[in-house]
Amino acid sequence: MAGEFRRYLFPRDHPRLAGVRGLDPYAYREHARTPGTFTGGLVEGWTPLYLAPFRGVTEDGVLREGLHPLTPAQPGEEAPVAAMVAAAETLLGLLSPGDRTRLCFPVDAPEWQTWANPEFMQFDTGLRLEFQPEEVREAALALVRASLSPEGAALVHAAMLVNGFLGDVVDLPTVLGEWSYNVAVYGTPDLRAPWGWQLYGHHCAVNVLVVEGRMVVSPVFVGAEPDGIDDGPHAGVADLFADRISSGLAVMAALTGEQRAAATVYEQMVDPAMPPGRVHPGDERHLAGAFQDNRVIPVEGVRLSEVSEEARARVLDVVAAFVRLLPEGPRAARLRELEAHLDETWFSWIGGHAPGDVFYYRVQSPVVVAELDHHCGVFLDYHTPKPFHVHTVLRTPHGNDYGRAWVREWQSQHDQVG
């Protein structure tokens, strides 16, 4: 229901808001690191993880070889590399030599793995857009638009707009802003050699790599609290995740009662049957978020080889909603890859599935992890998950997040390992 979130506003002078009001991103970062606090605990747990050598998410700790061959793009499935190169060169052309140095990293740099989705800036990778002139900000958005589908670019921008709207609602514009995001470029923009870019900040993190006409868009995190804008110049932005929510519910409707029971690994969002740590203080139920690049995530729920064609089709609708970020050609290639592993795909669920229920779900196969989770309040005052606070995560398991498997293969072919 539009505007429901306003029932949960903190008083303006509440310590949750007043204690950080007016802090710039760097002062707020230091505040967030305070030991013994909620955010301090998150920083302490996440900081060491990005330094681990990248392997990739797996279901059992064993990388499967041959899942991500760097084959030429099929006709009509090429990434829009020329447009991306032009947009990246425009962005680079607007920067001083010092800012270009800050923006750019090697294509296989570990800084890829510094992205995060909280509002505090744990790592200041690349350039912070809020401190850039308007032309640089717009050039960064133009790179997003040149790379993603129109729907994907609109979703990314909507998440940024909602963040700024929330900052206005709770009067924390220096903590939650439309431009409270970092951007970085990896590798040298080129029509064939591997390169990519990264945009990340509160409720939005996108990692894109292209090589030889192929494209990887993952890891991706997109979320919102609330999931729409009901006032101001951007009023009408709404229901950012309607397709991901409706398609998940459609899967549950397509399963038999026995299969729904198998898919439902926990009936409650915080369930007494959950093992310690199953609900993370920051990530809550989702498992493949920031700094989880090497996580082992065992499959659970129901295997698609055991369900009806209708249910399999509905799961494909779920992943299609997630990969709608990609342009039409690379999206077709990605969906073909997902279909090829459909018998090895699992679907799991936590929570209810009636109208208005909150829930978590995960689609997992050797080549995809797609998660949606309803969350508790962060800058709004509620302590159980609400439908208007949504987190979604997309991963490419077995080593091709950040296109890393393709980068390694390309480097090997060109004798440029290292």
Side-chain angles (χ1 to χ4, degrees):
M1 183 182 299
E4 182 187 1
F5 74 93
R6 292 186 179 275
R7 296 170 50 198
Y8 302 98
L9 296 178
F10 285 107
R12 188 181 183 281
D13 60 353
H14 190 281
R16 176 72 183 92
L17 307 180
V20 299
R21 185 167 286 122
L23 296 182
D24 68 28
Y26 298 99
Y28 184 58
R29 177 173 65 175
E30 294 308 310
H31 173 84
R33 290 173 172 171
T34 303
T37 63
F38 169 71
T39 53
L42 298 180
V43 171
E44 182 181 3
W46 283 334
T47 297
L49 297 179
Y50 93 95
L51 292 172
F54 175 83
R55 296 182 72 249
V57 170
T58 65
E59 65 276 9
D60 58 7
V62 179
L63 284 173
R64 288 177 54 171
E65 300 295 331
L67 278 176
H68 305 292
L70 180 55
T71 55
Q74 294 192 14
E77 294 183 354
E78 301 90 347
V81 182
M84 292 174 62
V85 169
E89 290 179 344
T90 296
L91 172 61
L92 290 166
L94 294 171
L95 302 177
S96 68
D99 278 348
R100 280 197 296 274
T101 298
R102 280 185 284 274
L103 179 74
C104 296
F105 298 87
V107 71
D108 54 0
E111 281 79 5
W112 275 112
Q113 296 160 233
T114 61
W115 70 269
N117 55 279
E119 79 288 350
F120 55 86
M121 183 174 53
Q122 187 164 345
F123 293 97
D124 188 19
T125 303
L127 297 179
R128 186 76 167 180
L129 289 177
E130 65 190 292
F131 298 125
Q132 297 300 312
E134 182 178 0
E135 61 181 1
V136 172
R137 297 174 177 179
E138 292 301 328
L141 276 186
L143 177 57
V144 173
R145 295 187 182 107
S147 306
L148 303 182
S149 67
E151 311 97 295
L155 177 62
V156 168
H157 193 209
M160 298 168 68
L161 292 174
V162 169
N163 194 55
F165 170 69
L166 178 61
D168 291 340
V169 168
V170 300
D171 192 21
L172 293 178
T174 62
V175 173
L176 303 163
E178 176 185 349
W179 300 104
S180 299
Y181 296 86
N182 284 50
V183 64
V185 171
Y186 295 86
T188 301
D190 188 272
L191 293 177
R192 297 189 63 186
W195 72 279
W197 57 265
Q198 172 183 72
L199 174 80
Y200 73 89
H202 190 217
H203 277 152
C204 187
V206 184
N207 297 276
V208 175
L209 182 124
V210 288
V211 55
E212 298 287 3
R214 303 292 302 277
M215 171 181 271
V216 171
V217 181
S218 78
V220 176
F221 180 105
V222 189
E225 180 194 30
D227 66 342
I229 299 174
D230 67 354
D231 191 27
H234 303 294
V237 172
D239 300 326
L240 275 62
F241 309 103
D243 55 349
R244 303 183 188 200
I245 290 169
S246 63
S247 59
L249 290 167
V251 174
M252 291 296 275
L255 298 175
T256 66
E258 183 178 351
Q259 291 165 349
R260 275 194 296 274
T264 305
V265 291
Y266 300 105
E267 294 183 354
Q268 301 177 50
M269 294 292 270
V270 179
D271 198 295
M274 288 176 171
R278 181 59 187 86
V279 179
H280 182 270
D283 292 332
E284 297 198 20
R285 281 147 297 277
H286 70 72
L287 302 174
F291 307 109
Q292 305 304 315
D293 295 294
N294 297 329
R295 186 163 188 166
V296 175
I297 304 176
V299 295
E300 56 187 352
V302 64
R303 185 168 177 163
L304 296 197
S305 60
E306 302 169 356
V307 305
S308 68
E309 288 301 318
E310 171 71 12
R312 289 160 64 92
R314 300 291 73 78
V315 172
L316 282 174
D317 290 343
V318 171
V319 293
F322 278 77
V323 303
R324 200 163 287 135
L325 288 164
L326 278 74
E328 185 175 352
R331 186 192 318 165
R334 184 72 166 121
L335 286 171
R336 189 174 61 254
E337 177 187 41
L338 298 169
E339 289 186 46
H341 294 274
L342 202 57
D343 282 347
E344 298 178 90
T345 302
W346 293 71
F347 180 79
S348 58
W349 190 273
I350 297 174
H353 53 89
D357 281 348
V358 291
F359 51 82
Y360 160 91
Y361 69 69
R362 181 169 80 254
V363 177
Q364 182 173 355
S365 84
V367 294
V368 71
V369 171
E371 298 181 286
L372 181 145
D373 194 20
H374 289 111
H375 271 229
C376 299
V378 177
F379 287 97
L380 300 173
D381 188 12
Y382 52 94
H383 304 286
T384 58
K386 299 295 181 187
F388 53 77
H389 188 179
V390 181
H391 286 191
T392 67
V393 178
L394 179 67
R395 287 275 189 174
T396 307
H398 292 279
N400 212 30
D401 276 334
Y402 316 103
R404 193 66 57 86
W406 288 351
V407 170
R408 287 170 173 164
E409 183 172 345
W410 191 92
Q411 289 174 329
S412 177
Q413 291 170 354
H414 291 78
D415 297 320
Q416 294 178 358
V417 176

